[in-house]
């Protein structure tokens, strides 16, 4: 049960790093069947933690992009808002000598 509580507080990077270590240990071999099964189960838990973090990140990105879509539609043909483009849409940089 402590593992489940710990999984809730694990950050993505922590879970990923521990998962890498679990995979390394499994690939190295030399562990008993019982230890290998415990490592496999831990790896599955860690993979779920990573997947939840990545799904959450994807949802945040999708929401952010959805929020920007109406703003982008109103900007078509007006160049960049960062001031790098001239009024005709061309570059506003000084010519090279």
């Amino acid at each position: 049960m402590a593992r489940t509580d710990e999984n809730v507080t694990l950050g993505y990077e922590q879970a990923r790093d521990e998962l890498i270590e679990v995979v390394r240990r499994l690939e190295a071999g030399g562990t008993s069947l019982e230890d290998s099964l415990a490592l496999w189960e831990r790896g599955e838990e860690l993979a779920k933690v990573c997947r939840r973090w990545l799904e959450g990140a994807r949802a945040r990105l999708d929401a952010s992009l959805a929020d920007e879509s109406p703003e982008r539609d109103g900007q078509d043909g007006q160049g960049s808002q960062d001031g790098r483009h001239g009024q005709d849409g061309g570059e506003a940089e000084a010519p090279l000598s």
Side-chain angles (χ1 to χ4, degrees), residues 34-54:
E34 188 64 31
D35 289 344
S36 293
L37 287 172
L39 284 169
W40 180 270
E41 290 169 347
R42 181 61 178 157
E44 289 290 329
E45 292 173 9
L46 293 165
K48 287 178 188 176
V49 171
C50 289
R51 191 174 309 114
R52 280 193 300 268
W53 275 105
L54 292 172

Side-chain angles (χ1 to χ4, degrees), residues 1-10 42 45 49 52:
M1 191 92 124
R3 292 267 189 197
T4 303
D5 294 339
E6 180 183 325
N7 290 345
V8 173
T9 61
L10 276 178
R42 181 61 178 157
E45 292 173 9
V49 171
R52 280 193 300 268

Side-chain angles (χ1 to χ4, degrees), residues 32-96:
S32 69
L33 177 59
E34 188 64 31
D35 289 344
S36 293
L37 287 172
L39 284 169
W40 180 270
E41 290 169 347
R42 181 61 178 157
E44 289 290 329
E45 292 173 9
L46 293 165
K48 287 178 188 176
V49 171
C50 289
R51 191 174 309 114
R52 280 193 300 268
W53 275 105
L54 292 172
E55 288 169 355
R58 169 55 63 193
R60 288 176 61 189
L61 286 171
D62 289 345
S64 177
L65 291 174
D67 288 346
E68 289 182 8
S69 291
E71 294 173 12
R72 285 186 183 172
D73 292 341
Q75 298 295 326
D76 288 345
Q78 295 183 15
S80 159
Q81 285 186 310
D82 62 7
R84 289 187 295 166
H85 294 269
Q87 293 202 7
D88 63 353
E91 294 296 321
E93 296 178 11
L96 298 175

